[in-house]
Amino acid sequence: MASHDIPIGATQVSLAALNERSREIFRQIVESYLATGSPVGSRNLSRLLPITLSPASVRNVMSDLEQLGLIYAPHTSAGRLPTELGLRFFVDALMQIGDLSEQDRRSIEAQVAGAHTSKSLEAVLTEASQMLSGLTRSAGVVLTAKTNVRLKHVEFVRLEPQRALAVLVAEDGQVENRVLNVPAGLPTSSLTEASNFLNARIRGKTLAELRGEIERAVTEGQAELDQLTQKVIAAGLASWSGGDSAERQLIVRGHANLLEDLRALEDLERVRSLFDALETKRGVIDLLGRAERADGVRIFIGSENKLFSLSGSSTIVAPYRDSQGRIVGVIGVIGPTRLNYARVIPMVDYTARVVSRLLAP
């Protein structure tokens, strides 16, 4: 279900490199870190383990794990914490991802579906990110195309002999203007015909839905349009569907959750760095955009992505789809590397599925 940018095979660490004792000690170190954020020492570990081992034996195993790059000592003679590589290894090879409880499923469906009654896609996505933020105590994030808004009206206006202005008005009042190159000798009547053709079909649809309907109408011969008018319509649809970062909308909810449970000055610096990254938006949009190119949940841990290398944050996101089954955005959470991965991963996955169902006809 989950995928990421750096395959665990590239880390030169495999499950076969650890015997059962090493795996159990490593698991306890990671689970203790995820629960408390604090290092754990050999004496405490020897008490936590389901097998009987002396603190000296535990220290020997910890030394081996440290040589593999899976754990490290934050201070001299301190306990051990998992490295980013260790967290990645744990998530990929050792963690058991549980299923959501029926209560969690009902809660997600009720909150997201409740926003759907407003018929606003942005309301649904905002509510979904807010809900994920509350359930995971992290920041909820959504990346969506601005072109997913519901449309109201379109107009083509000639500017020059071979240039026209395409104006798109959304139901929420947003207006998008694009300058198009049009064929030489294009009559004004073709611009009018293109506007009338689109306006007869546009109201209440997203751009993706409109594009699908136009393609079907042309393919099935239902649209009696001359070639010049078809070119104007195609150029207008293409210009509005740019898909670059400037056409992406980023929704972030629950920043305050990231300020909870700060344990040291370096934690505050980490969160401040993350806030700076979220404020710039473009880097977050680029990162989340990469998650649109794969099915299933994607996990980015710490410096696996340049954006969060300073803040030491983790991102768990999943794509959601429109009524045609096409991926149109991603939804998930951003938080500290000690997220409860086993709980958050299925939660993000299920939320993306609920949003996709609501966008289906």
Side-chain angles (χ1 to χ4, degrees):
M1 180 171 69
S3 61
H4 52 85
D5 279 3
I6 304 177
I8 194 64
T11 65
Q12 307 303 314
V13 181
S14 70
L15 200 57
L18 303 182
N19 58 30
E20 186 177 347
R21 184 167 64 173
S22 298
R23 288 179 206 169
E24 190 56 45
I25 289 174
F26 176 64
R27 184 197 303 276
Q28 290 291 346
I29 292 172
V30 175
E31 290 182 349
S32 175
Y33 165 71
L34 296 181
T36 69
S38 301
V40 59
S42 56
R43 190 171 299 280
N44 283 336
L45 276 172
S46 65
R47 296 194 192 104
L48 294 170
L49 293 170
I51 50 179
T52 303
L53 280 178
S54 68
S57 297
V58 172
R59 280 195 295 274
N60 288 336
V61 174
M62 290 168 73
S63 177
D64 293 339
L65 293 172
E66 201 163 354
Q67 287 186 350
L68 286 170
L70 297 177
I71 63 174
Y72 74 103
H75 309 290
T76 306
S77 73
R80 299 296 185 272
L81 292 173
T83 61
E84 288 180 358
L85 169 62
L87 284 174
R88 168 57 67 194
F89 178 68
F90 174 79
V91 167
D92 287 349
L94 295 178
M95 184 179 69
Q96 294 181 329
I97 299 176
D99 200 6
L100 288 181
S101 68
E102 194 58 37
Q103 181 179 350
D104 281 337
R105 288 173 185 265
R106 284 200 299 267
S107 176
I108 290 171
E109 289 176 1
Q111 290 187 62
V112 179
H116 188 54
T117 57
S118 72
K119 302 299 182 186
S120 163
L121 174 62
E122 186 171 347
V124 171
L125 296 175
T126 299
E127 184 61 38
S129 63
Q130 187 77 53
M131 178 270 304
L132 273 177
S133 170
L135 289 175
T136 64
R137 308 311 301 164
S138 302
V141 293
V142 173
L143 179 67
T144 184
K146 289 181 181 177
T147 49
N148 285 335
V149 297
R150 298 283 164 181
L151 307 176
K152 181 179 180 180
H153 184 76
V154 62
E155 200 74 42
F156 293 100
V157 181
R158 186 187 297 281
L159 298 175
E160 299 171 6
Q162 290 183 254
R163 287 160 68 83
L165 182 67
V167 184
L168 185 70
V169 181
E171 285 189 340
D172 62 3
Q174 292 185 55
V175 178
E176 294 279 348
N177 298 312
R178 293 287 186 278
V179 176
L180 308 178
N181 293 321
V182 295
L186 179 79
T188 301
S189 59
S190 289
L191 294 177
T192 303
E193 186 179 4
S195 299
N196 292 341
F197 178 79
L198 290 175
N199 284 323
R201 294 162 174 80
I202 199 170
R203 185 172 289 274
K205 292 185 174 66
T206 66
L207 189 59
E209 290 168 347
L210 177 64
R211 189 189 305 112
E213 182 170 324
I214 300 305
E215 289 171 355
R216 282 192 298 274
V218 172
T219 302
E220 296 169 6
Q222 298 172 0
E224 296 183 5
L225 301 169
D226 61 45
Q227 286 194 334
L228 289 177
T229 303
Q230 284 190 35
K231 286 182 179 179
V232 172
I233 291 172
L237 292 175
S239 71
W240 285 315
S241 309
D244 60 15
S245 294
E247 299 307 309
R248 315 296 273 155
Q249 181 179 12
L250 179 68
I251 301 170
V252 182
R253 291 292 182 271
H255 289 75
N257 290 332
L258 300 173
L259 294 170
E260 293 180 357
D261 200 29
L262 296 182
R263 298 174 181 276
L265 183 61
E266 53 263 33
D267 282 347
L268 183 59
E269 288 303 316
R270 173 184 58 76
V271 171
R272 194 172 287 153
S273 173
L274 175 57
F275 279 9
D276 288 344
L278 292 175
E279 282 301 313
T280 60
K281 289 193 177 182
R282 178 158 191 118
V284 182
I285 288 172
D286 290 344
L287 170 68
L288 298 186
R290 284 152 57 194
E292 288 183 325
R293 298 197 287 271
D295 284 333
V297 179
R298 301 204 72 186
I299 305 162
F300 301 92
I301 297 176
S303 57
E304 284 180 358
N305 66 82
K306 293 178 182 177
L307 177 65
F308 298 140
S309 59
L310 294 178
S311 65
S313 303
S314 285
T315 308
I316 301 175
V317 289
Y320 62 88
R321 300 172 181 273
D322 65 8
S323 56
Q324 277 79 46
R326 293 177 293 211
I327 292 174
V328 292
V330 294
I331 186 167
V333 299
I334 295 175
T337 52
R338 64 183 195 89
L339 282 169
N340 185 342
Y341 296 91
R343 182 168 183 265
V344 174
I345 289 171
M347 198 167 280
V348 167
D349 182 59
Y350 191 69
T351 301
R353 293 174 190 272
V354 170
V355 170
S356 296
R357 282 206 303 271
L358 292 175
L359 297 185

